[in-house]
Amino acid sequence: DPSESQTVYTTFRDFQLTFHEPDAPRFNPENIRSHCQGVFITVRVHQPCTQHTCYRGIPPFGPSIPPGWMLPASSAFRDFLLTKIINATHATCKSESFVTMATCARQEQLKRLVETFVTLTPLDCSNVRFSFISLVGKKKERLAPQPQAYLHSAGALTWSVTVQDPSSSAAVACQLAISSSLVVLIEEVGRKVVFNCFCRDVIGWSAAHGSFKLFYQHGLCVAFSTRDGRWEDSQEITQRLQLVTQGGTAANMTLRRNRLGQLGFHINSEGVVADVEAHGFAWQAGLRPGCRLVEICLVAVVTLSHEQMIELLRTSRNVTAVVLPPHGDGTPRR
């Protein structure tokens, strides 16, 4: 409080940060008693309670202050002062006298603890009072290892998969690598990256009989299959995706029309369901607001305009869709 005429002291662990007013007497560290050795940083205020308030300090720790230089009352002054305190911390850690005194203080404290709280009287562990610490004759039980703990690894896990080349319809042997941040497909022969995306971009996947479709961003898709349709690999890939992405498992739906030929829901231009008729056929199939349609009648939604989506839903005799459920709060996966 600048209205006070006395010096204000604030202690930072083993530091004394002192603020002096213009009329305050010269700071004397001998007037301070402390159980720890202190580092003193003094700051004198000039023109207090005005728009021209500034400060001048005299600590021996860097950064140095040019002669006669004064800092205005601002965040720059605060950062400058904190820098000096940090430098003082480093200086005390390297000071032989401080290390010696700190070691002696710890030894005295340990000695006091031993003299005050240690007893040579043996405890009767059979007593009900101490039964909770009874470990006599009891083996330490080993914690059972977590099954498939490797799936929680931050590094990449790999599986052998086959990717269908869309340009030549040829099957390409690849390694699927999923880390905590990336999903990558690497060609085994040429060691070329044929696909990659961030885990945060994965919005869902569908898996059936070893065949995978991985959906990312706004519904783009990459397809691959496990070698020999290995069910174990499919399970591991699905569990790994659940751990490192925010995606969900896609559902295959067959959507029926009502007596008026309507499907009972509306979608926006991104294929996200905006509204569903309550208790209609679409509702009964599991469609809800926030669901994202990534395929309609085997056609990727990202390749269709809004008008084409509506036309396909309106004219198709049998309407099938691959649907990603929304997040728990009802927002669509993006």
Side-chain angles (χ1 to χ4, degrees):
D1 184 357
S3 63
E4 297 288 339
S5 60
Q6 61 184 7
T7 302
V8 178
Y9 301 101
T10 306
T11 304
F12 292 86
R13 294 175 60 191
D14 53 354
F15 299 95
Q16 298 288 338
L17 179 61
T18 68
F19 288 88
H20 282 223
E21 296 181 19
D23 300 330
R26 186 178 181 86
F27 171 70
N28 185 1
E30 295 180 357
N31 296 333
I32 296 178
R33 286 190 176 184
S34 174
H35 291 291
C36 58
Q37 298 297 321
V39 174
F40 301 100
I41 297 178
T42 62
V43 178
R44 183 175 293 276
V45 64
H46 294 263
Q47 303 182 45
C49 302
T50 68
Q51 294 182 351
H52 305 288
T53 300
C54 52
Y55 302 89
R56 188 170 64 184
I58 323 173
F61 308 105
S64 60
I65 303 177
W69 187 47
M70 291 186 292
L71 288 169
S74 64
S75 60
F77 168 68
R78 179 195 60 194
D79 296 340
F80 183 85
L81 192 59
L82 289 176
T83 302
K84 282 192 170 292
I85 294 175
I86 293 172
N87 290 341
T89 305
H90 296 163
T92 56
C93 293
K94 297 178 181 179
S95 171
E96 183 178 351
S97 59
F98 270 85
V99 172
T100 302
M101 286 184 287
T103 302
C104 293
R106 293 191 190 97
Q107 291 175 345
E108 288 296 322
Q109 182 67 18
L110 288 173
K111 182 179 178 181
R112 192 178 302 112
L113 289 173
V114 170
E115 293 174 349
T116 306
F117 297 104
V118 172
T119 178
L120 299 178
T121 304
L123 293 177
D124 182 8
C125 294
S126 62
N127 193 308
V128 176
R129 181 179 179 184
F130 300 105
S131 60
F132 68 97
I133 61 172
S134 175
L135 299 176
V136 178
K138 186 177 181 180
K139 284 188 175 182
K140 184 177 180 181
E141 296 181 0
R142 289 188 177 183
L143 295 176
Q146 183 180 0
Q148 297 180 318
Y150 60 91
L151 291 176
H152 296 263
S153 170
L157 302 181
T158 62
W159 294 268
S160 297
V161 299
T162 301
V163 179
Q164 204 73 22
D165 187 351
S167 60
S168 63
S169 300
V172 181
C174 294
Q175 287 292 315
L176 169 67
I178 305 177
S179 72
S180 59
S181 58
L182 287 170
V183 178
V184 184
L185 283 167
I186 304 173
E187 185 182 354
E188 289 184 353
V189 177
R191 301 294 181 182
K192 295 180 180 179
V193 175
V194 298
F195 168 80
N196 71 92
C197 76
F198 288 105
C199 288
R200 64 172 178 266
D201 293 332
V202 175
I203 59 176
W205 54 84
S206 65
H209 309 294
S211 296
F212 267 87
K213 285 186 177 180
L214 185 69
F215 302 100
Y216 60 99
Q217 293 180 358
H218 291 284
L220 297 171
C221 173
V222 60
F224 56 88
S225 58
T226 58
R227 300 285 175 83
D228 303 321
R230 286 175 55 88
W231 180 82
E232 297 85 353
D233 287 356
S234 298
Q235 288 291 104
E236 288 183 346
I237 294 171
T238 299
Q239 293 173 13
R240 179 64 169 171
L241 290 172
Q242 290 172 341
L243 289 171
V244 299
T245 74
Q246 297 295 319
T249 303
N252 296 306
M253 295 185 183
T254 299
L255 304 174
R256 298 166 54 192
R257 301 183 186 277
N258 59 22
R259 291 179 297 176
L260 300 177
Q262 299 172 341
L263 293 173
F265 67 94
H266 297 89
I267 59 172
N268 64 18
S269 58
E270 295 183 354
V272 176
V273 176
D275 187 28
V276 184
E277 180 184 343
H279 309 297
F281 290 139
W283 181 279
Q284 294 174 9
L287 206 62
R288 297 290 185 273
C291 286
R292 175 183 287 275
L293 276 62
V294 290
E295 286 186 8
I296 299 174
C297 299
L298 304 179
V299 181
V301 168
V302 290
T303 64
L304 301 172
S305 65
H306 191 209
E307 291 75 15
Q308 289 172 329
M309 280 189 277
I310 300 299
E311 184 66 16
L312 190 60
L313 290 170
R314 187 178 65 83
T315 59
S316 298
R317 182 175 180 180
N318 297 315
V319 179
T320 60
V322 178
V323 182
L324 290 175
H327 290 288
D329 59 0
T331 57
R333 300 183 187 272
R334 301 186 184 279

